């Protein structure tokens, strides 16, 4: 897990608080949906590997650099 520093220039390892590293339970429908999404994202990365840069972010916008 990583968090972006306040100045937006570096990543810090870990969560801000202990609550940020807790486990949560999710149902099988959600697990299936997340696995499907991960598979689709990986396929898109492979298809666009010449332009794809992995910044290990949950959400990334092309207009904003990490």
């Amino acid at each position: 897990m990583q968090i972006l520093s306040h100045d937006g220039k570096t990543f810090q390892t870990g969560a801000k608080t202990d609550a940020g590293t807790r486990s949560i339970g999710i149902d099988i429908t959600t697990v299936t949906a997340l696995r499907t999404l991960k598979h689709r994202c990986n396929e898109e990365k492979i298809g666009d590997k010449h332009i794809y840069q992995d910044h290990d972010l949950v959400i990334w916008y092309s207009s904003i650099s990490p």
Side-chain angles (χ1 to χ4, degrees):
M1 181 179 314
Q2 294 178 331
I3 55 174
L4 189 60
S5 65
H6 291 288
D7 63 6
K9 295 182 180 183
T10 60
F11 289 103
Q12 300 169 347
T13 303
K16 292 179 186 176
T17 66
D18 289 340
T21 58
R22 68 186 180 275
S23 297
I24 60 168
I26 55 175
D27 61 89
I28 192 66
T29 303
T30 304
V31 171
T32 302
L34 289 170
R35 287 182 177 157
T36 301
L37 178 61
K38 181 176 179 168
H39 178 73
R40 187 180 72 186
C41 288
N42 287 338
E43 291 294 317
E44 290 177 6
K45 289 177 190 178
I46 291 168
D48 294 329
K49 65 182 173 186
H50 62 285
I51 61 170
Y52 182 78
Q53 295 179 3
D54 190 357
H55 298 289
D56 199 27
L57 302 173
V58 175
I59 299 173
W60 181 79
Y61 297 96
S62 60
S63 61
I64 302 171
S65 63

